[in-house]
Amino acid sequence: ELLKIKNGPGAVAQACNPSTLGGQDGRITRNILKTIALGQMLSLCICGTAITSQYLAERYKVNTPMLQSFINYCLLFLIYTVMLAFRSGSDNLLVILKRKWWKYILLGLADVEANYMIVRAYQYTTLTSVQLLDCFGIPVLMALSWFILYARYRVIHFVAVAVCLLGVGTMVGADILAGREDNSGSDVLMGDILVLLGASLYAISNVCEEYIVKKLSRQEFLGMVGLFGTIISGIQLGLLKYQELLPILLKHVCCLGFLISMW
């Protein structure tokens, strides 16, 4: 999940960027081999997350998309945000917050909701549909990179995007037709829409990530996403699951009060 938050599904589109395909002489460099290896590790981690999320949703009826994200952001907060807090100069946490707090709030919101929508979609649609429709983030990311990062692509890349969009449309249509047979067409369509929205938000997050990592630092991106991701996902978790969390909190508060009184 750390790799997923750090790279996202848009990492595939970044790998397609002509500026990252090789050295100046056109040969495959060590950095490219390292990128390919990390990309395979990323795909393996995302596959594991997808399978476990689908398994929990179907077998045990456990649908906790916000809780899953909240744990991830807490881990990022404990490591990278704390790291920024102990830095000095312009890389200090307070300095960054004074200058760019509202930008990171928007980035954190996009990243949190992307994770929430993707995991939530497993409740409505199939694992195959989620994984295939998740590729919709690639053309969205390429479009954003074209206008924001001034990336330029070749004709083959646009042909690949057209095929990707055609596959997305075909997959949505197939899900709707298959859902009508078992009277779950509206639920399947809802799952597909959640995946498409989540993939689009992932694309926004990935473009911001590439800019921050290249212009600023990787630690700043992960630290600020960890900070605002924890806050936003914590608030959303409390609002959506307050009925389930309230008895647990009351139980712990009562136990704490009892221990204090005994002490």
Side-chain angles (χ1 to χ4, degrees):
E1 278 298 322
L2 176 61
L3 284 174
K4 183 179 179 181
I5 294 177
K6 178 181 174 184
N7 296 287
V12 180
Q14 182 179 355
C16 293
N17 193 320
S19 63
T20 64
L21 287 177
Q24 294 181 353
D25 55 357
R27 294 182 299 176
I28 298 178
T29 64
R30 181 178 299 177
N31 289 335
I32 299 303
L33 294 177
K34 182 179 179 181
T35 301
I36 294 175
L38 290 175
Q40 295 306 308
M41 292 177 58
L42 170 63
S43 299
L44 182 62
C45 291
I46 293 177
C47 180
T49 300
I51 293 175
T52 52
S53 297
Q54 183 76 14
Y55 182 77
L56 289 173
E58 290 185 352
R59 182 68 180 271
Y60 297 102
K61 306 301 179 181
V62 175
N63 300 298
T64 57
M66 191 49 61
L67 180 60
Q68 291 179 236
S69 299
F70 179 72
I71 296 174
N72 295 327
Y73 291 118
C74 285
L75 294 175
L76 290 177
F77 174 84
L78 293 175
I79 298 175
Y80 290 99
T81 307
V82 173
M83 186 186 301
L84 292 178
F86 286 97
R87 285 191 172 186
S88 59
S90 59
D91 293 332
N92 182 262
L93 178 62
L94 295 178
V95 176
I96 296 175
L97 288 175
K98 289 180 180 179
R99 292 183 299 168
K100 296 171 285 189
W101 61 271
W102 64 273
K103 296 180 181 179
Y104 283 112
I105 287 179
L106 297 178
L107 174 59
L109 184 63
D111 205 78
V112 168
E113 297 307 322
N115 280 292
Y116 173 78
M117 290 181 181
I118 293 295
V119 179
R120 184 73 173 181
Y122 290 106
Q123 183 180 354
Y124 301 103
T125 188
T126 62
L127 173 63
T128 304
S129 297
V130 173
Q131 292 301 297
L132 291 178
L133 294 177
D134 199 20
C135 297
F136 180 72
I138 297 177
V140 176
L141 187 140
M142 290 179 64
L144 293 175
S145 298
W146 180 280
F147 293 104
I148 298 177
L149 301 178
Y150 303 105
R152 293 298 177 262
Y153 301 94
R154 299 169 184 162
V155 176
I156 188 63
H157 296 122
F158 293 106
V159 173
V161 169
V163 174
C164 179
L165 293 176
L166 180 62
V168 168
T170 304
M171 195 67 196
V172 173
D175 282 344
I176 294 176
L177 293 177
R180 288 175 180 173
E181 296 179 0
D182 55 5
N183 298 323
S184 62
S186 59
D187 291 341
V188 172
L189 181 59
M190 173 62 69
D192 291 346
I193 292 176
L194 287 175
V195 177
L196 296 177
L197 292 176
S200 300
L201 290 176
Y202 263 137
I204 296 175
S205 176
N206 290 158
V207 170
C208 296
E209 172 193 351
E210 182 175 353
Y211 178 85
I212 295 172
V213 169
K214 288 184 177 179
K215 301 295 183 180
L216 302 173
S217 68
R218 181 180 70 253
Q219 290 77 14
E220 179 174 334
F221 171 80
L222 292 174
M224 300 309 291
V225 168
L227 172 62
F228 289 106
T230 301
I231 296 174
I232 295 172
S233 60
I235 294 175
Q236 189 167 342
L237 176 63
L239 293 176
L240 295 178
K241 299 292 184 178
Y242 72 95
Q243 293 181 343
E244 301 176 10
L245 295 176
L246 186 58
I248 299 176
L249 293 176
L250 291 176
K251 179 180 179 181
H252 284 79
V253 170
C254 292
C255 292
L256 181 61
F258 175 76
L259 292 176
I260 293 176
S261 63
M262 292 293 293
W263 182 77

